[in-house]
Structure formats: structure tokens, C-alpha cells
Amino acid sequence: MKGEPSINTNNLTAVQLMELDACVRCGECVNWCPTYDAANKDPGLAPRDKILRWRQFMNKSYGLRARLFGPKAIPEEDIEQFKDDVYKCTTCGMCATVCEVGINTIELWESMRANLVKRGNGPYGKQGMFVKLIGEYMNPYMADNKDRLSWIPDDVKIADKAEILYFGGCTAELRQQKLAFATARVLNHLGIEFTMLGEDEVCCCSALVRTGQYEIEDIARKAARKNVDGIVAKGAKKVLYACAGCYRTSLVDWPRLLNEEMPFEIIHITEFLEDLIKEGKLEWKKPFDNLTVTYHDPCHLGRHVGVYNPPRSVLNAIPGINLKEMDRIKENQRCCGAGGGVKAGVPDLALGVAETRVQDALAKNPDILSSACPFCKRNLSDGRDSLGADELVVEDVIVLTAEALGISLDDCVES
Ligand code: SF4
Ligand code: SF4
């Protein structure tokens, strides 16, 4: 009797099954992969190798020989090794950018991960905690969801309902509150009426989607539903994000999870500010004194959704900032190392990638390494600390914006 295939096609689309066959083994992706580099060129992490191994798994399970004589068993240790390797990927998308045949590798890695989760192999290490934490606490930090409001200073005005809603995100509301602080004060300073979800906000579930855990207990879909319904109930037509991860998840993943179009516009705060700058609405009261700033494109804002110029427009508009680009920027940017669950699951690897990215920055001698994502900021700061490059400041574009507008952030205390 023919046995069952060791691997099934769960979570892989027909296009993805064709993409596995489309790889021509050119190896271009291997030349650019940041985790392969940071892991001393471990061949198991090479994107090409992962595609070829999964193709072999599929052939053993469904190829001509399998159809004639039955599937060939795949040793469990091979599948476990594959799982380890596919989770040592930040889903940065660099391999997709350079792929000779246009394979959408970001989606492919995520589909493989979801398949392995269903099979009982994934996720990797501490990434398994995301389900419990988000399911129980509605955020990944084990914080009381009511504390989402606790950073708000007395002077900040947040409307009960408004056409503009700022979706703060777990990291800015519960850990790196300076980002939320700066965003809220900048909006107030510019006279923009906005509302927030407060304790009704739940995690965007980026971590669950990126690690292939989005179907477990239906948590990600339910969270998207609660957030979307909450945003609609607030009367919002535009939703602003200062976290690249929340932005990407809301823009790309919520519509998929809910199988519906979002009934509001989704905008990164730098896109919003870029428009206001063009209209001449920002008055820079505290220009910087000849500050050299470089900018790191977050994968979730850049390669994932194509927002490259707005953060640069904001930085270029701030008087006294001299924007000096790193060699690898925009589509070719090198990842910070935190994404795809790597910071939680394989922290040493995340740090190794961060160190390389900080070295990219240091080569340009900037005063400040800026970004537009709290995860990038945290991991790049860790890379800076590990290199002992104490003179380099790592800061978010919106914080620099607030300072140049003359807004004080001195009273902000982070958790
Ligand atoms: S997505 Fe990035 S980290 Fe993952 S395999 Fe591709 S280049 Fe490497
Ligand atoms: S760049 Fe694309 S075609 Fe070339 S080896 Fe990598 S995945 Fe295959």
C-alpha cells in the first residue's frame, strides 16, 4: 500500500508550487542574504538551498516516482533541519529583489513556515510564545492592555472620535513610548485632530503572520477584526502608523486575514508629514546644527510595500540635517536583522546582522543612524552597543522631526 507523503502542500499556492520549479539555481540570492552572511555562510541558510530542498521534499512526495510507486519517506531530521533553517530568515525580501526569475520569496518562506507549523515542526524556539502572549494579553509583552494609555502625557489631546486615527502598536505604546510620545505631540503641534483605540487596540499580529502561526486558534484574524471594527467605530477615514511592522501588517495582511478591503486609508506617518511639508505647514523652530544623518530603510516599510522616499523627504526638509546615504539603500538595503521572528527566536543571529548594518552606517561617519520603525531602532541600537560605537545615536525620524519643531520629549519615560 502506498504511504502518505511526508510533506503536504498545505498553505502553498499553485503559483508558489510553480515558483519552486522556476528557480534556475543562479545563486544571486545567496550573494545578498544577510542571515547567510551573519551565520558564516552556513549553506543551510542560503535562499537557493532552501528552495531546492523544499523542491526535493515535494518531488519525493508528489513527483512522478511518487505517483507510480508511492511517496518516498523524508527523514524527520531532514524536515527538522529545514525548519531550523527556514526560521533563520528575517523575511527581509532581499532575495526576492535580486531573484533572476522573480520568485516572491517573502511569501514563500511564510507559506513554508505555516505548513511546518501545521505539521507540528514550527515555529522556532521562543517564537511559540507569541500565540500564548497575544492570545492572553493581546500584546507580546505580557503587559496589561489598559497600559496602552499610560504613556499619554497630560498636555496631549486625543479626541474620542476623529477622521484620523493613530494606531500606536504594542512596541511604541508599551515599550518604546518615546515614539508614541513624539508622534502624538507632533500631531497636536500641527493642529491635527486625531483619535486612538487605547485599551481596545490589540496586537496587529505581525509576529504571528511572519512566523507562520496566523491560523492557530484564529487569533490573528480575530485581532484584525477587533482592530478594524474599533477603527471604524471611531469614525476614522485615515489610519496613521509610526511602526513599519504594524503598517505592513495592516496594509497587506489584514485584508487577507479578513478577506475584505480595508474601509480606511492606511498611511505611514512619514507619508503624512511629507504632504504637510509640501504644503508648507511645518515651521522648524529648532533647526539642528550641521547634523549628519543616515537613514536605514525598514524592510517592512521599504521592500515589503515600497515606501522609500517619504522618510527621506522629511529628513531633507529638516534644517541643519545633512542626509548621507549608506551604500546599500532602498531596494538594496541590508536588513537590520530583527524581522521574521529572528529577534525572538535566534537573537544571536539578529545581533550579527545588526552589527553589519551598523558598520554600513559607520562607514559614512554619521552623527545619527535614523529609521522609521521601533524594531529596527532596537536592534540597530543593540548592534551599536555590541560594536562599542557609543558615539552613534540611533533615532526615529519622527523623534528628529519633533525636536526640530521645538517639541520637548524630555518628560517621556520608557518602560
Ligand atoms: S528573506 Fe532575507 S534573510 Fe530570508 S533568505 Fe531572503 S535574503 Fe535571506
Ligand atoms: S536568485 Fe532566484 S533563481 Fe537564482 S538561485 Fe536564488 S531563488 Fe533561484
Side-chain angles (χ1 to χ4, degrees):
M1 199 179 96
K2 293 180 183 178
E4 289 295 309
S6 300
I7 285 280
N8 61 37
T9 57
N10 276 344
N11 295 85
L12 281 110
T13 64
V15 169
Q16 287 174 328
L17 293 171
M18 285 192 281
E19 284 180 333
L20 293 170
D21 280 333
C23 171
V24 294
R25 307 185 192 196
C26 66
E28 189 59 20
C29 52
V30 186
N31 295 331
W32 295 82
C33 174
T35 50
Y36 169 77
D37 263 353
N40 296 318
K41 304 197 186 299
D42 176 348
L45 271 57
R48 173 184 59 185
D49 181 82
K50 287 181 285 188
I51 287 181
L52 294 182
R53 275 191 284 165
W54 193 271
R55 182 152 93 193
Q56 285 161 3
F57 288 172
M58 286 288 136
N59 278 338
K60 284 181 180 170
S61 302
Y62 301 102
L64 182 60
R65 190 190 175 284
R67 275 183 273 148
L68 292 174
F69 306 111
K72 190 170 181 191
I74 303 166
E76 200 56 32
E77 59 265 30
D78 289 3
I79 297 174
E80 270 296 302
Q81 182 61 56
F82 183 86
K83 179 264 295 181
D84 289 356
D85 292 340
V86 85
Y87 274 98
K88 288 176 185 167
C89 158
T90 60
T91 63
C92 74
M94 192 62 221
C95 48
T97 297
V98 299
C99 178
E100 302 274 334
V101 295
I103 298 175
N104 184 343
T105 51
I106 298 173
E107 305 271 333
L108 192 58
W109 309 139
E110 288 179 7
S111 296
M112 289 174 178
R113 288 175 174 193
N115 181 294
L116 290 167
V117 165
K118 251 184 202 157
R119 197 181 177 281
N121 299 90
Y124 186 94
K126 288 186 181 166
Q127 294 167 352
M129 292 294 289
F130 289 143
V131 170
K132 184 174 163 41
L133 293 174
I134 297 171
E136 196 168 321
Y137 295 92
M138 293 178 269
N139 63 75
Y141 298 116
M142 291 176 74
D144 185 337
N145 222 44
K146 290 194 172 68
D147 285 347
R148 284 186 185 273
L149 301 164
S150 62
W151 57 273
I152 300 171
D154 291 343
D155 63 292
V156 165
K157 292 182 200 65
I158 299 175
D160 185 37
K161 284 185 155 200
E163 293 212 345
I164 292 177
L165 183 141
Y166 166 39
F167 187 94
C170 303
T171 303
E173 290 174 343
L174 299 167
R175 287 293 178 272
Q176 293 182 40
Q177 287 93 339
K178 192 174 173 188
L179 178 60
F181 221 78
T183 306
R185 275 203 172 136
V186 165
L187 291 172
N188 269 186
H189 178 89
L190 297 173
I192 310 288
E193 189 188 45
F194 73 100
T195 183
M196 293 187 77
L197 289 176
E199 62 186 81
D200 291 331
E201 182 179 322
V202 296
C203 180
C204 72
C205 292
S206 173
L208 292 180
V209 178
R210 307 279 83 78
T211 56
Q213 301 182 85
Y214 50 86
E215 287 172 318
I216 300 182
E217 297 173 27
D218 208 19
I219 292 171
R221 194 194 59 79
K222 285 182 191 158
R225 180 80 277 150
K226 183 165 167 57
N227 282 326
V228 171
D229 289 350
I231 291 167
V232 170
K234 287 280 187 183
K237 304 275 189 297
K238 276 185 190 181
V239 185
L240 303 182
Y241 296 80
C243 171
C246 297
Y247 174 77
R248 186 267 195 241
T249 307
S250 308
L251 191 68
V252 181
D253 300 306
W254 286 0
R256 284 185 195 160
L257 287 165
L258 298 173
N259 197 22
E260 65 190 41
E261 297 279 313
M262 292 298 96
F264 39 75
E265 207 180 336
I266 290 172
I267 308 172
H268 191 262
I269 187 73
T270 57
E271 297 177 286
F272 187 71
L273 290 175
E274 183 186 41
D275 287 345
L276 293 179
I277 288 167
K278 279 184 195 152
E279 292 165 22
K281 297 218 169 119
L282 271 70
E283 192 187 336
W284 306 105
K285 293 191 178 135
K286 276 202 171 174
F288 290 108
D289 182 14
N290 199 20
L291 204 61
T292 301
V293 178
T294 195
Y295 174 71
H296 165 79
D297 292 274
C299 303
H300 288 145
L301 189 61
R303 268 194 298 271
H304 283 224
V305 293
V307 177
Y308 296 114
N309 290 328
R312 292 179 165 81
S313 300
V314 175
L315 289 171
N316 277 322
I318 298 176
I321 282 187
N322 163 32
L323 177 62
K324 198 166 182 187
E325 297 278 16
M326 288 180 264
D327 291 343
R328 284 185 55 177
I329 59 165
K330 299 186 176 177
E331 291 87 351
N332 293 329
Q333 156 268 44
R334 194 197 312 268
C335 173
C336 81
V342 170
K343 185 80 176 165
V346 207
D348 288 352
L349 185 61
L351 186 61
V353 179
E355 286 174 355
T356 311
R357 189 53 173 158
V358 170
Q359 278 161 342
D360 287 348
L362 291 172
K364 301 296 168 187
N365 276 320
D367 300 299
I368 294 182
L369 165 56
S370 69
S371 192
C373 171
F375 274 103
C376 294
K377 183 188 165 190
R378 181 173 155 217
N379 207 39
L380 292 169
S381 297
D382 288 349
R384 183 262 328 264
D385 293 349
S386 149
L387 290 172
D390 302 342
E391 69 287 356
L392 181 70
V393 174
V394 183
E395 198 48 276
D396 197 280
V397 172
I398 189 72
V399 171
L400 298 176
T401 304
E403 287 174 4
L405 287 170
I407 298 167
S408 171
L409 304 174
D410 292 346
D411 51 334
C412 173
V413 180
E414 296 198 327
S415 298

